[in-house]
Amino acid sequence: MKNIMFIAPPAAGKGTQAELVVEKYKIPHISTGDILREISKEDSEIGKYVYETLASGKLVKDEITYKLIEERLSRKDCKNGFIIDGFPRNIDQAYEYDKILKKLGYNVGNVISITVDKKTLEKRITGRRICENCSAIYNINYENSSPKVESVCDQCGGKLYQRSDDNLESFETRYQTFVEKTEPIIEHYKKQNVLTEINGDDTVENIFKKIDKIIKN
Ligand code: AMP
């Protein structure tokens, strides 16, 4: 199994697609956003720093992400492949990731860039709701992905919540950060001949078909 990396703007659907890949290929999903959201709940100085940075839509300090990525990739369950989502987020992180991979004896695998236009992302951001129990993702701005009962998870009955950074103000910062800092890493992976771009303005099923084809190739 090849390793997989997603590069995509906020709310392009990388979390949803990552879960589908996990289900089919049984590999771990490593999301720096998810790990940082856990850290942000800690009652400590670092917890407070991460909470505030996430809510603002800015990136946390690179050094914090390096430690947690190296620790996570060193675990046994990554030996047969993994899907990395949300890292690297800037060119320094991309260079550091090359070093971490080399140190651990891994290849970058398939890098998949998912593109979606800004207006669509705004609609997705404001409607996104997540189950606090099983992390299932819904979107109340789209009929076919709304929960059957408002604020209740269809799958487990858990309560749905909205991420603290899923508002238009944070979105604007996150989107600009993506354009200025994250998009340049696309070139880095083009040069390595490992990048495939796909259009993410499509149904969840169709996007997954495209991703699955890339994985199987
Ligand atoms: P995500 O869930 O990927 O949208 O990430 C949510 C937030 O976590 C981002 O807006 C950043 O504040 C932070 N974050 C996630 N990954 C990184 C990273 N690789 N470097 C710095 N900050 C990150």
Side-chain angles (χ1 to χ4, degrees):
M1 177 70 201
K2 284 182 261 176
N3 301 324
I4 299 150
M5 183 204 292
F6 284 153
I7 303 177
K14 55 189 167 69
T16 306
Q17 292 301 325
E19 289 313 319
L20 294 173
V21 174
V22 168
E23 209 174 287
K24 181 157 180 183
Y25 291 98
K26 315 285 179 227
I27 54 172
H29 171 203
I30 300 165
S31 154
T32 41
D34 285 350
I35 299 171
L36 289 165
R37 272 185 285 282
E38 281 306 309
I39 297 175
S40 76
K41 293 178 193 159
E42 287 170 13
D43 185 13
S44 64
E45 208 169 304
I46 176 130
K48 195 165 169 257
Y49 161 75
V50 171
Y51 179 84
E52 283 168 4
T53 310
L54 260 63
S56 76
K58 292 187 187 140
L59 295 181
V60 306
K61 290 188 197 112
D62 290 344
E63 287 66 30
I64 294 179
T65 65
Y66 298 159
K67 265 196 213 143
L68 59 90
I69 280 294
E70 187 168 344
E71 189 278 318
R72 183 62 189 87
L73 292 182
S74 305
R75 290 196 215 157
K76 268 201 205 125
D77 63 345
C78 293
K79 282 213 158 50
N80 298 321
F82 54 84
I83 173 159
I84 190 147
D85 142 23
F87 185 90
R89 266 311 218 269
N90 60 37
I91 197 72
D92 286 345
Q93 292 187 7
Y95 287 127
E96 185 65 23
Y97 188 50
D98 289 346
K99 284 191 211 155
I100 295 173
L101 289 173
K102 202 168 165 199
K103 189 166 159 190
L104 299 174
Y106 292 142
N107 293 319
V108 68
N110 285 121
V111 178
I112 303 174
S113 156
I114 308 173
T115 56
V116 181
D117 71 77
K118 195 178 173 199
K119 274 275 154 257
T120 307
L121 294 172
E122 275 178 14
K123 188 170 171 190
R124 289 189 188 176
I125 282 277
T126 50
R128 177 156 63 184
R129 300 291 183 273
I130 303 164
C131 174
E132 64 179 17
N133 181 43
C134 74
S135 305
I137 303 168
Y138 297 86
N139 200 302
I140 60 167
N141 287 343
Y142 294 89
E143 209 178 314
N144 62 1
S145 45
S146 291
K148 291 192 182 81
V149 180
E150 202 187 317
S151 304
V152 178
C153 178
D154 291 354
Q155 291 175 30
C156 76
K159 199 167 159 236
L160 304 185
Y161 73 97
Q162 188 170 22
R163 274 170 49 169
S164 63
D165 56 351
D166 275 353
N167 58 72
L168 284 178
E169 201 188 332
S170 284
F171 169 73
E172 198 52 50
T173 308
R174 289 156 71 202
Y175 187 77
Q176 281 317 321
T177 306
F178 177 77
V179 172
E180 285 163 27
K181 306 228 161 109
T182 310
E183 267 186 348
I185 71 174
I186 290 175
E187 276 310 309
H188 179 76
Y189 293 112
K190 268 190 189 157
K191 282 188 207 145
Q192 295 185 13
N193 250 331
V194 290
L195 186 104
T196 313
E197 266 171 332
I198 59 172
N199 178 3
D201 200 356
D202 206 338
T203 61
V204 170
E205 293 73 24
N206 284 344
I207 301 170
F208 183 64
K209 275 187 200 151
K210 295 180 218 173
I211 292 173
D212 203 23
K213 212 170 144 196
I214 298 168
I215 297 174
K216 284 182 179 148
N217 257 334

